[in-house]
Structure formats: structure tokens, C-alpha cells
Amino acid sequence: MLYNEVMIRYGELSTKGKNKKAFINRLAQNVKAALHDFEEIKVHADRDRMHLILNGADSDVVMERLTFIFGIQNFSPVMRLERDMEIVKKTAVEMVREQYSEGKTFKISTRRADHDFELDTNEMNQLLGGEVLKNIEGIKVQVKKPDINLRVEVRLNGIFLSCQTVQGAGGLPVGTSGKGMLMLSGGIDSPVAGYLAMKRGVEVEAVHFHSPPYTSPRALQKAKDLTAKIAAFSGTIQFIEVPFTEIQEEIKKSVPEGYLMTVTRRMMMRLTDKIREQRKGLAIFNGESLGQVASQTMHSMIAINDVTTTPVLRPVISMDKNEIIEIAKTIDTFELSIQPFEDCCTIFAPPSPKTKPDLDKAREYESRLDIEGLIERAMANLSVSKINVGQTLEEQQKEIYSDLL
Ligand code: ATP
Ligand code: MG
């Protein structure tokens, strides 16, 4: 059944006091962006609800897109009808029938904004309830907690019917919490961390380190494909490629094996922080989970975090691998993440890095490097691209070529 309106309920942002207006405006922007190819849709953002007037747009496609937008608690497809009881009766039966399966119960709940309407709420409930009972065999009325609740609203501009509530993505509208830099590898954890950051309203930009020729173009492409996946939750994501080859080679030359990983991570953190500063981000996000590998112990975090005072936020810090994988599957990044391409960190990594690196030693070994020069050269060669939701390799290339032409 194709509906002509969708009513959106806000959820958590209803409680946000004076920020409420900014939140609602941002959500409206995000909804419009997600539905940008439906020019006919009108978005009305009220204080308590948002109404989408579909004007012929396919309600199934619209509802599918809405499930990816943070800040929406739930939504209901709505049928707006003329104030003609014959049409209302017929549509009410159709809508209940669509939700009905054997054993389900229903009720009709009418509200009137227009008290001059020919029928009062009781008469409406009786009339429509009778019509449903007559036409759907086996269905029963239940007033308390029915399976199907057909809501009917009589207003001056029409009669509105709805009987379905679809769960939204929850969270806060992307952008309302500010911008953060996501350290995105090709692994399982960092895309999940990015998704969770976006869920709390962060506008994420992806920072990816790669070390050609030690890492292949396909590893870079994998990171971009993962970005395109999580862009489903924000429309687009800026992807920042950081050339890391020279730094890794220098570290390998000058730093003892046990500290390769720690110093490498310190350099990644420094660069991410520089990029954050340049792009006016407020925090850094990564996919670290406590105790998962040597670089993710609290001792390691002390030695690595030492290079910045910027908040480093770790959305999956307390999750087990299985829990992270569970989320990766629901956001559809898992299959991509497990493709076997070498990561820049694994290639130079010793088989057994220190799980308890010493901060002073890390600083001392690092001082053998020309830190300023290395950072400056990497920063001079960043490459930034905009990645859209679901963009395939082919489409990305097309865009690059069209930029060149
Ligand atoms: P992931 O599954 O996210 O790759 P991981 O368990 O493999 O995580 P590590 O490789 O130790 O863990 O990386 C820890 C975190 O460091 C990652 O979650 C990511 O945020 C960041 N990171 C690692 N490699 C890169 C890279 N090449 N580019 C950007 N960030 C990276
Ligand atoms: Mg990794």
C-alpha cells in the first residue's frame, strides 16, 4: 500500500530544551539530504513532529531511507483522505488488512480536531470498527493493547489514518554534536566506531593512513568502500588519505623492534590531530577495544595518547569482538572488513610488540626522528575526497574522471 504522508517522532531531542530548535532544523536538513532525489516531497518540521508530504513519492523507498537517519525515534506512514466516509471506510479496511494475520486483534482510536464533523469519536470508532469486522474474517476487537491500532484523526483539512509504527535509528541528528576525525583502517572495529560516533550526532571525517607500495591500491579502496557504507548514516563523508610510507620507513630504521608499534601510533595520532586542527574538528575517534591487541592496553594508551590533549574517544572500548562483529553485520561493513588486504600497520609490525611500553622510552626513541619534517611532508600530500553513500568503485572513478575533464 502506498501512503501519501509520513509522520516522524523525534525521541531524545524532545528533551533538549533550548537546543531543540537547532536539533529539529538539523534533522530536517538531514532528512532532505537523504531524500534529495525526491524533489516532490515537502518537509514540515514542527516542534513535536515532522511531517513529510510525499506528493506521489514511493512511501516504501522513503521509509527505508528514514531508518538510517539518527534523531528519529520512530515514524508512521499516514494516509490523508478527503472527508468522505465512503473513502475512509474502504481505506481503513485495506490498512488493517495489510497488518492482519491470523489471531491478531485491533481497535480504532479516533480523535477530532474538528468538533463540528458530522460524526463524533464514538460514532467513528463504531462505524469503522464494524466495517473492519465485516470485511476481515476472524479478526477480533481488543481495547487494551491490541495488535493493530488504527488511529484516525479528523481535521479540517482531511481525515488522517495510520496503523503502523516503524522503529527509527534513535540517536541524535548527525552534525548536532560537532565534527570529529575517525581513524579508519580497513578492519572491523573502526567502521563500527564511526557508526557509533555518528549515532551520537557527530559529523565524522575519515582519516586513513596508507603506505604504498607496501599497501596495495585495493587496501585503500577497501577503506573508501567502508566509508561509503557508513555514509548511509550521514549522506556523505570526507575521506582524507595520509601518505605514511616515509614515516614507517624512518621508524623502522631508527626505532628498536619493541617500540615500532608505539612510535608508529604516536605519529598517526600526531597527524590525525594536525588534520583535526586544520579542519576544525573537536575530537578524534578510533576503533580501540581494551585488551584486544598490544596497542590497546591502558599502558599503550598512555604512551600513545601522550602526543595530544585532544579528546580521543573510543566508542567500542568495552565491547567484546563478538559484539563489535554483531554491529558490523547490521551496518553491512563486516563482509568488506574481512577481505584480506594488508594494513599499513601490520606490514611493519613486529610479531610481538610490547603490551606495556614505557612512556619515557617511547619519547626518547621517537626523538631520533625528524618529527617536524616528516609531519610537514605528510601534511603537504594529503588527499581529500568526498564519498557518498553506497558509492561503488566505478562511480567513484567516474567522479574522479569527470573532475579531470
Ligand atoms: P580495526 O578493526 O579498526 O582495524 P584493529 O583491531 O585491527 O582495528 P588496530 O589495527 O590495532 O586494531 O588499530 C586500532 C585503531 O587504530 C583502529 O581501530 C583505527 O581507529 C586506527 N588505525 C589503525 N590502522 C589505521 C590506518 N591504516 N588508518 C587509520 N586508522 C588506523
Ligand atoms: Mg586494523
Side-chain angles (χ1 to χ4, degrees):
M1 180 153 191
L2 287 185
Y3 293 86
N4 47 28
E5 295 193 10
V6 177
M7 196 251 293
I8 295 173
R9 299 176 192 85
Y10 299 140
E12 203 171 322
L13 64 162
S14 316
T15 61
K16 293 277 176 190
K18 69 174 191 257
N19 285 333
K20 188 163 166 175
K21 209 167 161 194
F23 277 63
I24 293 171
N25 288 342
R26 186 67 196 221
L27 181 61
Q29 264 178 39
N30 294 353
V31 167
K32 283 178 197 162
L35 301 172
H36 66 96
D37 47 334
F38 291 107
E39 277 158 24
E40 64 273 35
I41 296 180
K42 293 274 169 293
V43 178
H44 296 292
D46 298 338
R47 279 183 61 80
D48 306 307
R49 303 274 158 91
M50 190 178 296
H51 299 272
L52 308 186
I53 316 300
L54 301 186
N55 289 320
D58 184 330
S59 58
D60 288 337
V61 179
V62 169
M63 292 199 283
E64 163 74 20
R65 301 239 187 119
L66 291 180
T67 59
F68 287 92
I69 300 176
F70 292 123
I72 295 178
Q73 195 62 27
N74 58 45
F75 55 87
S76 298
V78 177
M79 205 50 128
R80 173 185 174 172
L81 304 169
E82 283 170 41
R83 293 165 36 128
D84 171 339
M85 283 314 291
E86 285 314 307
I87 299 176
V88 174
K89 279 196 291 195
K90 188 167 156 278
T91 312
V93 172
E94 270 178 52
M95 284 174 65
V96 175
R97 183 177 281 131
E98 198 181 57
Q99 303 300 312
Y100 179 69
S101 58
E102 210 187 309
K104 280 194 176 170
T105 57
F106 86 106
K107 81 165 173 185
I108 312 276
S109 331
T110 305
R111 290 201 329 200
R112 285 196 314 175
D114 169 20
H115 292 282
D116 295 331
F117 189 65
E118 54 190 291
L119 301 171
D120 68 19
T121 52
N122 268 333
E123 288 167 335
M124 287 288 281
N125 289 345
Q126 302 239 327
L127 182 69
L128 296 176
E131 202 63 21
V132 168
L133 286 168
K134 199 165 74 192
N135 287 284
I136 302 177
E137 216 186 286
I139 197 165
K140 288 200 174 64
V141 177
Q142 184 166 315
V143 180
K144 261 195 182 166
K145 293 200 179 163
D147 301 308
I148 305 162
N149 185 1
L150 180 70
R151 294 189 174 84
V152 181
E153 256 193 81
V154 182
R155 290 187 228 155
L156 284 173
N157 60 347
I159 294 180
F160 296 72
L161 305 186
S162 73
C163 73
Q164 209 185 334
T165 303
V166 183
Q167 204 55 40
L172 307 174
V174 170
T176 52
S177 297
K179 188 196 281 188
M181 316 312 292
L182 169 68
M183 299 176 72
L184 182 97
S185 65
I188 296 168
D189 307 325
S190 45
V192 171
Y195 157 79
L196 291 171
M198 288 193 273
K199 182 158 189 260
R200 295 309 296 172
V202 179
E203 176 192 349
V204 154
E205 294 192 344
V207 177
H208 178 73
F209 295 83
H210 73 132
S211 305
Y214 306 105
T215 57
S216 68
R218 291 181 71 190
L220 175 64
Q221 189 55 47
K222 180 184 174 185
K224 288 186 175 179
D225 290 345
L226 285 167
T227 304
K229 284 280 183 199
I230 59 172
F233 298 93
S234 63
T236 58
I237 292 182
Q238 300 293 331
F239 183 90
I240 301 141
E241 257 169 76
V242 191
F244 206 49
T245 314
E246 188 196 2
I247 293 177
Q248 290 210 286
E249 286 173 342
E250 284 304 304
I251 292 173
K252 181 91 186 170
K253 250 188 264 167
S254 327
V255 174
E257 275 239 321
Y259 280 80
L260 285 178
M261 184 273 299
T262 308
V263 174
T264 304
R265 297 288 167 164
R266 285 169 64 95
M267 291 302 280
M268 283 170 111
M269 190 64 85
R270 279 208 163 86
L271 276 161
T272 306
D273 203 28
K274 263 253 167 355
I275 296 166
R276 175 203 62 77
E277 201 184 323
Q278 231 176 42
R279 303 181 64 84
K280 304 195 166 52
L282 299 169
I284 295 169
F285 289 81
N286 68 26
E288 289 176 335
S289 158
L290 192 60
Q292 196 186 83
V293 290
S295 60
Q296 299 175 22
T297 63
M298 289 199 275
H299 286 94
S300 276
M301 286 177 200
I302 289 173
I304 296 164
N305 236 159
D306 171 57
V307 300
T308 177
T309 55
T310 300
V312 177
L313 306 178
R314 302 169 171 91
V316 303
I317 191 70
S318 65
M319 288 188 195
D320 295 347
K321 195 78 191 184
N322 284 336
E323 294 171 309
I324 300 173
I325 288 174
E326 197 71 29
I327 298 177
K329 284 182 176 163
T330 50
I331 63 172
D332 199 28
T333 53
F334 183 69
E335 291 301 323
L336 261 173
S337 289
I338 56 176
Q339 285 177 18
F341 298 119
E342 286 296 344
D343 200 90
C344 67
C345 311
T346 38
I347 289 164
F348 292 89
S352 53
K354 279 206 181 324
T355 53
K356 289 187 185 177
D358 178 81
L359 177 57
D360 293 328
K361 281 188 188 152
R363 285 179 178 166
E364 185 198 318
Y365 295 138
E366 191 187 64
S367 69
R368 297 173 184 174
L369 306 171
D370 167 26
I371 298 174
E372 295 287 304
L374 288 168
I375 295 222
E376 210 169 282
R377 285 190 291 282
M379 289 299 289
N381 290 294
L382 299 180
S383 140
V384 182
S385 53
K386 193 173 101 179
I387 296 190
N388 294 320
V389 47
Q391 218 176 21
T392 61
L393 172 59
E394 203 180 323
E395 287 160 353
Q396 287 171 23
Q397 281 170 342
K398 232 185 261 161
E399 203 157 284
I400 294 164
Y401 292 137
S402 66
D403 283 352
L404 293 175
L405 290 172

